[in-house]
DNA sequence: GCGCGTTGTTACCGACTGTTACCGGACGTT
DNA sequence: AACGTCCGGTAACAGTCGGTAACAACGCGC
């Protein structure tokens, strides 16, 4: 049975990591997570990468003193856990924001599987390269953008990913709390609220709790300011 | 001829990437860069990774509108250019801060070389994983630390890497300008100067232009605050 | 020597964001 | 229904950092 037969296959342009092509060469297991369940926790032994087949997660880096930095919100088509390769243990948590379908790829077995198939050869390295580019685009955004621009940049990124998966880019459902968004963007949750309210007042978006409507994507691009430029290339 | 015969070999604990073990299986070329010369520029076709055998560089991410974000200061033992894997072209500049000895590793040939030798199998993935962890530790530092703590955290990281390479951790020579440090830490150069002056006034360090003495590493750790905790694990 | 550009330092002011506080609503538990 | 908790929104206040400016130190070419 193919991995992606319950829903439409993920288009190559969307997924850096083609788990369907890999599956025949690697024994994979599927896991189902419910909201709030952990995929892994900081300190747990690292023995597998995880491919998100459906659902949304939140990944974080956890410091020794308990401080937490949200590193991303993986969704369908994303590969999770790469930052533990070479470390032996996971350096942060991964928690489900809603019901998730996860494909578990044993490490280092996944290396052998890629090795055996020329077409899959650089796939893992390319997926990790893409993750490096995303991290650095975010660093640039955090370093150069104001609070309001960062929030617009964040919404813009979510909308683009939704659109890449075939959904509408004009309506978002934020699975994460204001605190999570703030942690991701190096802001406090009050500031996130302020920025969302202001963008709403300006007519750029329409916010109601965790529902966001984006009438005009171009206006959101403009609100994200100059930082928008690099995201399109690095995404 | 071995690659590392002009100076002492790099200890395995220091270098995530063991270029000496790889060399017999891959035709490598050496390049020499002088201060100010570019190793690559944003937009150039990506066809090789670069291993720093000696010298210091500055890598950056360049946005479409020309804004630049410094992403790191690679030194002896570091692998440069990984963030271009899968992108086709380099996403930023790499410039020499002094005379550099660079080993050029053709891509994707380096994948084949690793594939042929079991011992080198996950080496590239592990080096990239380490880079991901460094990026995320930096994100945590930028998100949680004050300006002065960030500067202390930066100096502390430099000192640790110097010590790992066998040099003294009590004396640093900053190859990069205040502007570069500020860009790396998401601060303005005046703020970097202020932080350095304040740390000097407190007796934590002694600064004179680009020379920094660190009489007591523990005091620098303390000045870096809580953010110091994660760096040791993620570095 | 001299002028000039670059880099580094310090001071002052103001804007942005963090801090604190309080309130309301949604949700689950007893 | 009553209660507590979590999440979200708003407001007043305070602190940090950026913006600007002026100046000093150094390197460079003439």
């Amino acid at each position: 049975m193919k991995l992606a037969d319950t829903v439409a296959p993920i288009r190559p342009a969307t997924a850096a990591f083609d788990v369907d092509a890999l599956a025949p060469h690697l024994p994979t297991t599927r896991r189902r997570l419910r909201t709030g369940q952990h995929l892994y926790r900081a300190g747990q032994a690292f023995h597998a990468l995880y491919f998100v087949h459906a659902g949304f997660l939140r990944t974080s880096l956890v410091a020794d003193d308990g401080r937490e930095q949200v590193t991303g919100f993986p969704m369908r088509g994303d590969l999770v856990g790469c930052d533990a390769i070479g470390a032996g243990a996971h350096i942060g948590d991964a928690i489900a924001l809603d019901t998730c379908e996860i494909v578990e790829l044993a490490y280092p077995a996944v290396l052998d599987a890629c090795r055996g198939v020329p077409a899959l050869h650089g796939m893992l390295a390319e997926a990790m390269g893409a993750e490096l580019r995303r991290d650095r685009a975010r660093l640039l955004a955090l370093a150069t953008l104001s609070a309001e621009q960062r929030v617009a940049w964040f919404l813009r990124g979510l909308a683009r990913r939704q659109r890449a998966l075939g959904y509408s880019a004009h309506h978002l459902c934020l699975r994460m709390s204001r605190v999570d968004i703030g942690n991701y963007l190096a802001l406090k949750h009050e500031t996130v609220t302020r920025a969302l309210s202001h963008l709403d007042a300006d007519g750029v978006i329409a916010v109601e709790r965790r529902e966001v409507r984006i009438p005009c994507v171009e206006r959101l691009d403009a609100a994200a300011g100059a930082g928008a430029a690099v995201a399109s290339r690095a995404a």
Side-chain angles (χ1 to χ4, degrees), chain A:
Chain A
M1 154 171 156
K2 282 194 67 177
L3 287 161
D5 53 359
T6 54
V7 289
I10 295 170
R11 291 174 292 176
T14 303
F17 199 81
D18 186 356
V19 75
D20 286 338
L22 180 65
H25 308 90
L26 178 72
T28 57
T29 61
R30 295 184 75 153
R31 288 175 60 176
R32 186 184 200 89
L33 289 180
R34 280 214 282 269
T35 308
Q37 284 187 313
H38 283 259
L39 180 56
Y40 53 77
R41 289 170 191 272
Q44 272 188 3
F46 165 67
H47 59 80
L49 301 174
Y50 303 95
F51 179 84
V52 183
H53 188 258
F56 295 82
L57 296 99
R58 183 195 68 198
T59 56
S60 63
L61 166 66
V62 178
D64 294 346
D65 54 12
R67 282 174 314 120
E68 197 169 5
Q69 168 70 29
V70 173
T71 54
F73 299 102
M75 52 188 283
R76 175 172 174 72
D78 288 334
L79 196 62
V80 179
C82 289
D83 54 2
I85 293 177
H90 287 287
I91 60 171
D93 295 346
I95 191 169
L97 295 177
D98 65 353
T99 303
C100 291
E101 291 276 346
I102 307 291
V103 181
E104 190 171 321
L105 309 168
Y107 187 94
V110 64
L111 289 177
D112 295 319
C114 288
R115 190 169 64 163
V117 185
L120 308 177
H121 201 190
M123 193 168 65
L124 179 60
E126 290 180 13
M128 293 181 75
E131 199 155 345
L132 274 173
R133 287 190 289 281
R134 270 195 298 271
D135 271 15
R136 289 176 180 182
R138 181 151 72 101
L139 270 166
L140 176 64
L142 299 197
T144 60
L145 301 185
S146 70
E148 189 175 325
Q149 287 175 318
R150 286 184 221 176
V151 172
W153 175 85
F154 172 72
L155 294 177
R156 183 178 166 281
L158 279 184
R160 293 202 163 197
R161 295 171 75 190
Q162 293 249 353
R163 194 178 51 195
L165 290 177
Y167 301 110
S168 167
H170 295 282
H171 180 269
L172 292 178
C173 177
L174 303 178
R175 267 83 177 180
M176 67 295 291
S177 70
R178 303 287 193 265
V179 174
D180 288 339
I181 297 174
N183 194 316
Y184 181 73
L185 295 174
L187 299 170
K188 296 301 166 189
H189 64 94
E190 297 92 334
T191 307
V192 174
T193 294
R194 265 198 292 253
L196 285 173
S197 301
H198 197 239
L199 288 170
D200 189 316
D202 284 357
V204 179
I205 58 175
V207 187
E208 191 168 349
R209 308 285 295 175
R210 296 195 173 186
E211 304 290 327
V212 179
R213 285 196 308 107
I214 306 171
C216 177
V217 179
E218 284 73 21
R219 292 198 63 188
L220 191 58
D221 288 352
V230 75
S232 58
R233 188 172 54 194

